[in-house]
Amino acid sequence: MELISKRFADTAVLCPQGRIDHATAEGFKAALAPSLSACGAGRDRLVIDMTGVEYISSVGLRVLMLASKQAKAQGAPLAVCGLQPVVREIFEISRFNLVMQVFPTLREALASLSTEALAAFEAA
């Protein structure tokens, strides 16, 4: 599992690649930590672009739930986007799509969270 980070204005976009399962969940959690600590009210917003994730297990969902709770406690919006069909099905079965903000595309997530980030994304 690899985590690629991008920035569009006031929004950090994290792009995990591969599988988020029992073998990779702790690494995913550790990789998320710096971006989570930087987000907050009046600071960074956070989008996790799941386009490159082919599978997520319950352990991976737990990491996302904890990240969402931490971001919420810090007053920061956190969204997920780009769910592949298998991952989208897992989100729907577990009802995670009701727990987190889920958008079909990165553009839609950025449009919802920050007009500055959307403008930077479209300029890139």
Side-chain angles (χ1 to χ4, degrees):
M1 202 277 317
E2 180 184 357
L3 187 69
I4 299 166
S5 180
K6 302 175 186 175
R7 173 164 291 284
F8 297 103
D10 59 354
T11 303
V13 178
L14 304 175
C15 308
Q17 306 291 309
R19 297 171 60 90
I20 304 173
D21 55 21
H22 188 56
T24 61
E26 278 304 310
F28 179 53
K29 181 179 177 181
L32 286 177
S35 296
L36 276 170
S37 64
C39 70
R43 297 185 295 161
D44 283 354
R45 292 154 172 77
L46 191 58
V47 176
I48 302 174
D49 182 350
M50 304 281 282
T51 305
V53 176
E54 57 200 44
Y55 175 78
I56 188 166
S57 71
S58 61
V59 179
L61 290 175
R62 183 176 188 282
V63 171
L64 287 178
M65 181 185 65
L66 293 173
S68 177
K69 283 184 177 185
Q70 181 179 341
K72 190 174 191 175
Q74 294 171 195
L78 182 143
V80 175
C81 69
L83 302 180
Q84 295 303 310
V86 170
V87 176
R88 183 174 43 251
E89 184 178 351
I90 292 167
F91 264 63
E92 290 170 358
I93 289 169
S94 64
R95 303 182 72 69
F96 241 71
N97 56 327
L98 304 175
V99 174
M100 302 183 76
Q101 285 188 300
V102 179
F103 296 92
T105 66
L106 177 56
R107 185 188 184 290
E108 291 174 82
L110 294 174
S112 174
L113 297 185
S114 168
T115 55
E116 294 86 9
L118 177 61
F121 173 74
E122 291 182 338

